[in-house]
Amino acid sequence: MCNTPKKLGEAELEIMQVIWNSGGPVTSNYILKELQGKRKWQLSTLMTSLARLSDKGFVCCDRSAGNNLYSPVIAENEYKSGASRHFLEKLYNNSLQNMVATLYSSKAIKNSDVEELRNFLDELEAEHSGEDWD
């Protein structure tokens, strides 16, 4: 996709997570049920959000089956990758090191988190030894 998708608001992200986790097309009633406990929405509020998500290019609605069935247009990993890059660029001048240092110094991450990250990076390096990552 050549256009960068627009940003999701918090409520829109919760809706998209329900759709992404469903494994297939879902009805608005399914989404409403899955959001119970997170959002106290009426169906009309959800429908407005789904229309907005459709306008933004995140979901498509199939009306041919009698029920409106919502499916993702943008894959979860595709959205997360773009949102993560944007976040890193805007807040940390595109420096992963700055982000981790800030999180560590503010005690948002613990030593065990740093160790987990170190192990993950070691595994990545072992898997890709000899390959050019760029």
Side-chain angles (χ1 to χ4, degrees), residues 14-90:
E14 288 177 9
I15 293 168
M16 287 305 301
Q17 287 172 327
V18 169
I19 295 170
W20 285 324
N21 291 333
S22 71
V26 294
T27 64
S28 54
N29 284 327
Y30 174 86
I31 298 168
L32 201 58
K33 182 180 176 207
E34 291 295 308
L35 290 175
Q36 282 179 350
K38 292 182 183 178
R39 300 266 171 195
K40 293 187 187 287
W41 278 358
Q42 300 297 318
L43 184 59
S44 60
T45 306
L46 176 61
M47 297 307 291
T48 300
S49 294
L50 286 168
R52 200 173 309 123
L53 285 168
S54 179
D55 291 344
K56 287 182 172 184
F58 281 95
V59 298
C60 64
C61 179
D62 179 2
R63 294 174 173 85
S64 65
N67 281 338
N68 290 350
L69 294 174
Y70 296 91
S71 299
V73 173
I74 296 172
E76 183 177 14
N77 284 344
E78 180 183 346
Y79 176 74
K80 284 181 176 179
S81 177
S84 296
R85 279 193 307 271
H86 181 75
F87 173 81
L88 191 61
E89 185 178 296
K90 290 290 183 192

Side-chain angles (χ1 to χ4, degrees), residues 68-117:
N68 290 350
L69 294 174
Y70 296 91
S71 299
V73 173
I74 296 172
E76 183 177 14
N77 284 344
E78 180 183 346
Y79 176 74
K80 284 181 176 179
S81 177
S84 296
R85 279 193 307 271
H86 181 75
F87 173 81
L88 191 61
E89 185 178 296
K90 290 290 183 192
L91 290 179
Y92 298 100
N93 199 25
N94 223 16
S95 170
L96 188 58
Q97 180 178 339
N98 287 347
M99 183 184 82
V100 172
T102 300
L103 292 171
Y104 186 78
S105 67
S106 67
K107 298 188 181 355
I109 59 175
K110 306 177 291 267
N111 286 337
S112 60
D113 297 320
V114 173
E115 187 62 33
E116 184 179 339
L117 179 59

